[in-house]
C-alpha cells in the first residue's frame, strides 16, 4: 500500500480529493449565486437579506480556500477554472432573481446538497483515518445545519 506525503493511503486519498474537488466546484458556484443575490435582492427584506447574503458569501469564500488547501495537503490538485467548476458542480448558475424569498429557498436547496456531499466525504475520510478532512467536514456540517434551521425559520417553513 502506497502512502501519500501525510501518511494516508494514496488511493483512498485520491478518491477523497476527487470528492473534495466536486465540493469545491459546488462551493464556487454557490459563492457566485450568493454574490448575485446580494447585489440584486429587492423588496421589503432588502436590508436584512443584503447583509445575510454578504455574511454567507464571505463564509463560503473562506471555505473555498480551506477545501483547495486540503486537496493540496492530500497531494491533489484543486480545480481552478470556472469551466471545470461548471462541468462538475451540481449547483447551477442562477441569474436575474430579485425575490428574496426565492433566493432563500434556493440557498436552502444548495445547503442540503452541500451537507449531503460533506457527510459522504466525512464517511470516506473516516475510513481512511483522514482526521483533517473529517474535522473540516464535521465543522462545516455543524454550522450549516444551524443556518438551515434559521433560514427555514425566516421563511416560516
Amino acid at each position: 500500500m502506497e502512502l501519500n506525503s501525510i501518511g494516508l493511503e494514496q488511493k483512498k486519498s485520491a478518491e477523497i480529493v476527487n470528492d473534495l474537488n466536486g465540493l469545491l466546484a459546488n462551493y464556487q458556484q454557490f459563492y457566485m449565486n450568493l454574490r448575485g443575490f446580494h447585489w440584486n435582492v429587492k423588496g421589503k427584506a432588502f436590508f436584512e437579506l443584503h447583509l445575510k447574503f454578504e455574511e454567507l458569501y464571505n463564509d463560503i469564500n473562506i471555505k473555498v480556500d480551506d477545501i483547495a488547501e486540503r486537496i493540496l495537503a492530500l497531494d491533489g490538485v484543486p480545480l481552478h477554472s470556472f469551466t471545470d467548476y461548471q462541468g462538475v458542480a451540481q449547483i447551477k448558475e442562477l441569474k436575474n432573481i430579485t425575490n428574496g424569498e426565492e433566493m432563500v429557498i434556493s440557498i436552502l436547496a444548495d445547503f442540503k446538497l452541500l451537507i449531503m456531499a460533506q457527510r459522504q466525504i466525512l464517511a470516506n475520510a473516516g475510513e481512511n483515518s483522514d482526521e483533517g478532512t473529517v474535522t473540516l467536514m464535521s465543522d462545516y456540517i455543524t454550522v450549516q445545519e444551524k443556518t438551515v434551521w434559521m433560514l427555514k425559520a425566516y421563511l416560516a417553513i
Side-chain angles (χ1 to χ4, degrees):
M1 164 173 53
E2 289 189 53
L3 302 179
N4 66 14
S5 61
I6 58 173
L8 297 174
E9 188 177 328
Q10 192 168 2
K11 183 179 177 189
K12 288 182 182 176
S13 291
E15 293 170 9
I16 293 166
V17 163
N18 186 60
D19 292 342
L20 285 170
N21 264 319
L23 186 64
L24 178 63
N26 279 309
Y27 267 107
Q28 287 283 42
Q29 187 57 64
F30 189 40
Y31 174 84
M32 290 303 297
N33 289 345
L34 288 166
R35 290 300 301 239
F37 293 168
H38 171 75
W39 293 328
N40 294 301
V41 66
K42 295 186 183 332
K44 293 179 181 176
F46 169 82
F47 290 105
E48 61 193 301
L49 289 178
H50 183 75
L51 289 173
K52 184 54 146 177
F53 297 154
E54 182 175 13
E55 174 189 320
L56 290 172
Y57 75 66
N58 283 332
D59 178 65
I60 297 305
N61 190 43
I62 292 167
K63 286 177 172 51
V64 162
D65 195 52
D66 290 344
I67 294 166
E69 289 176 355
R70 187 66 197 159
I71 290 168
L72 291 162
L74 292 169
D75 292 342
V77 176
L79 297 177
H80 52 276
S81 76
F82 278 102
T83 304
D84 289 341
Y85 299 145
Q86 290 174 335
V88 174
Q90 293 172 292
I91 294 175
K92 298 303 174 199
E93 174 184 279
L94 298 174
K95 298 191 287 187
N96 303 320
I97 299 173
T98 59
N99 180 281
E101 187 170 315
E102 187 179 343
M103 292 170 172
V104 173
I105 289 168
S106 171
I107 290 168
L108 284 168
D110 292 346
F111 270 128
K112 182 177 182 179
L113 188 147
L114 292 168
I115 291 168
M116 289 171 42
Q118 290 164 165
R119 282 194 186 113
Q120 186 60 52
I121 293 168
L122 186 146
N124 293 342
E127 292 172 9
N128 195 33
S129 300
D130 179 354
E131 188 61 34
T133 302
V134 166
T135 300
L136 197 63
M137 295 301 103
S138 179
D139 289 350
Y140 289 2
I141 291 166
T142 300
V143 172
Q144 290 167 352
E145 287 176 342
K146 184 175 181 179
T147 302
V148 165
W149 158 66
M150 293 174 138
L151 292 172
K152 284 177 62 183
Y154 176 83
L155 294 175
I157 58 174

